[in-house]
Amino acid sequence: MSAAASATHQAEQANAAALRAFTALDPREVALLLDVDGTLIDIGPTPFAVDVSDTLKRSLERLFELTGGALALVSGRPIHDLDRLFAPLVLPAVGGHGAEMRLAEGTAASHVADLPAALRARLIGAVDPDSGVAYEDKGYSVALHYRRAPDHEARLRAHVSESLAAFPAEDTEVLPGKMMIEVKRPGIDKGAGIRRLMGHEPFARRIPVFIGDDVTDEAAFAAIPALGGRSFSVNRAFEGLSGIFSAPEQVRRALSEWAAKH
């Protein structure tokens, strides 16, 4: 067997094992916590060029019902962007890597204080429309995306360092991600967001089940064991995982089969 064929076989076996472990869960007992980009949906050329299929939305809607509302999106995106992507669904959410949280439709999203406008403008100043670099200004953070311009990584990292040095009194930290650099307030991460979420109904006293894929999800993976939960990843090995899916397509398949099973 060639190396490529062996890798494909191993991925298929891992997907099958993750699918069995995931669909064996009882939706009446768990809280389902789902990263979005790279987990539920494929990474697009920009944060705004992605596809959320109607099939995925139907699966999420059904699983929201089966879990008694204990299903939340846990994303680096702001909650208003999640609502736009998953419309007409309005799901509980932890947005901005934990900077925002909304428990249910119709409730206000709480969030941390914004970064100064001058700092955000300086960070965004690195974006040249012709370079392929994109940005997200979330208020409480600024993300610089270089998916279409990987050769700009070193320049952007230097720009971020220089920008933060110009605002020494501001309490910030840099969060690296997939072809992305984000400047945000410190002490904000998906793990802390999940711990807050799990203190509220209908999530409280359930078993948290998290699926994620990126370094920005490491805090969530670290938080889950202390909450008595289980984690699955997409194409990344982390300690204590219950399974590894090879791609978002396999996660969508697992959600669809789990929804159909019940």
Side-chain angles (χ1 to χ4, degrees):
M1 181 182 295
S2 69
S6 176
T8 299
H9 179 65
Q10 290 176 1
E12 290 174 348
Q13 287 186 314
N15 281 321
L19 180 65
R20 287 194 300 271
F22 183 77
T23 56
L25 297 168
D26 187 340
R28 297 168 298 182
E29 298 177 350
V30 306
L32 189 55
L33 313 172
L34 302 167
D35 173 52
V36 176
D37 294 273
T39 298
L40 287 182
I41 61 177
D42 297 285
I43 297 288
T46 74
F48 318 105
V50 295
D51 177 59
V52 181
S53 70
D54 289 340
T55 299
L56 173 58
K57 293 177 184 179
R58 286 193 294 270
S59 295
L60 294 175
E61 184 175 30
R62 175 60 177 154
L63 291 171
F64 180 78
E65 295 171 356
L66 290 171
T67 58
L71 181 153
L73 303 175
V74 181
S75 175
R77 291 179 183 266
I79 290 176
H80 63 77
D81 280 0
L82 295 174
D83 289 346
R84 189 159 53 239
L85 281 177
F86 290 88
L89 297 180
V90 181
L91 299 168
V94 173
H97 307 289
E100 297 180 280
M101 186 177 75
R102 181 183 63 204
L103 292 172
E105 180 178 1
T107 61
S110 60
H111 63 87
V112 301
D114 286 348
L115 296 173
L119 172 55
R120 285 157 35 217
R122 181 168 182 138
L123 290 166
I124 294 167
V127 177
D128 179 341
D130 298 325
S131 69
V133 177
Y135 74 91
E136 289 180 277
D137 183 356
K138 307 173 188 177
Y140 47 76
S141 73
V142 171
L144 302 174
H145 297 268
Y146 51 93
R147 297 172 190 171
R148 295 190 299 179
D151 54 316
H152 284 258
E153 178 180 2
R155 179 181 71 84
L156 292 175
R157 292 190 182 281
H159 176 77
V160 166
S161 295
E162 292 167 1
S163 298
L164 296 184
F167 290 81
E170 283 300 321
D171 206 8
T172 60
E173 67 181 18
V174 178
L175 178 69
K178 284 184 177 177
M179 308 298 284
M180 177 273 290
I181 308 169
E182 186 160 357
V183 176
K184 65 182 185 67
R185 293 293 188 191
I188 299 167
D189 60 55
K190 291 183 179 180
I194 285 174
R195 286 191 291 271
R196 286 177 57 211
L197 185 72
M198 292 302 298
H200 297 273
E201 296 294 344
F203 299 89
R205 295 178 297 281
R206 284 177 172 258
I207 301 167
V209 176
F210 176 71
I211 311 179
D213 76 301
D214 196 2
V215 292
T216 61
D217 297 318
E218 289 179 356
F221 286 121
I224 291 296
L227 295 169
R230 303 179 69 177
S231 294
F232 296 79
S233 78
V234 181
N235 203 31
R236 285 176 63 91
F238 292 95
E239 185 176 351
L241 290 175
S242 295
I244 302 176
F245 297 102
S246 64
E249 178 184 6
Q250 298 298 329
V251 176
R252 294 192 292 269
R253 175 189 172 191
L255 294 173
S256 178
E257 293 196 13
W258 196 37
K261 179 178 179 180
H262 296 275

